[in-house]
Amino acid sequence: MSFPASTRTIKLFTPVALEGGAELNVVHMREPLVRDRIAHAKDRGNEEEKEARMIAQLCNLSEQDIWLLTAADYAQLTDAFNVFMLPPGERPKES
């Protein structure tokens, strides 16, 4: 299966210690596909839980990994997701 070439790199404000001892400093988010949006719509739980699971999947993280992020870092991920909702020509360039 191929994924879109468009990704965003998010440097975390607060690194997270993952299970197994690895430290997460940077997250790479891939562009969502229609499949991701449909899975989100069919998912269980409230909107916040569904959103967190979808973002975790787009970042190749587990739901438990997402729970460890600070609110500021999670906001960076939702901002990156929202950039993907713009047409490619209107997306701001990564700095």
Side-chain angles (χ1 to χ4, degrees), residues 60-92:
N60 199 30
L61 297 170
S62 73
E63 183 178 1
Q64 291 75 22
D65 295 340
I66 290 290
W67 292 347
L68 298 173
L69 297 176
T70 64
D73 282 327
Y74 185 71
Q76 289 192 98
L77 298 182
T78 59
D79 289 347
F81 174 82
N82 289 329
V83 166
F84 283 128
M85 296 301 100
L86 298 171
E90 295 178 23
R91 296 175 187 171

Side-chain angles (χ1 to χ4, degrees), residues 7-23:
T7 61
R8 306 288 291 180
T9 299
I10 301 96
K11 183 176 182 336
L12 299 180
F13 299 125
T14 307
V16 173
L18 300 177
E19 188 175 320
E23 186 172 271

Side-chain angles (χ1 to χ4, degrees), residues 18-69:
L18 300 177
E19 188 175 320
E23 186 172 271
L24 183 65
N25 297 298
V26 174
V27 174
H28 303 281
M29 180 183 288
R30 68 172 173 81
E31 184 171 12
L33 301 172
V34 172
R35 175 190 67 226
D36 299 306
R37 300 298 301 263
I38 292 170
H40 171 267
K42 291 181 174 182
D43 199 3
R44 70 196 185 294
N46 63 40
E47 269 311 303
E48 290 79 14
E49 292 168 320
K50 291 165 53 170
E51 177 187 79
R53 280 191 289 275
M54 181 175 63
I55 288 177
Q57 181 158 356
L58 296 175
C59 297
N60 199 30
L61 297 170
S62 73
E63 183 178 1
Q64 291 75 22
D65 295 340
I66 290 290
W67 292 347
L68 298 173
L69 297 176

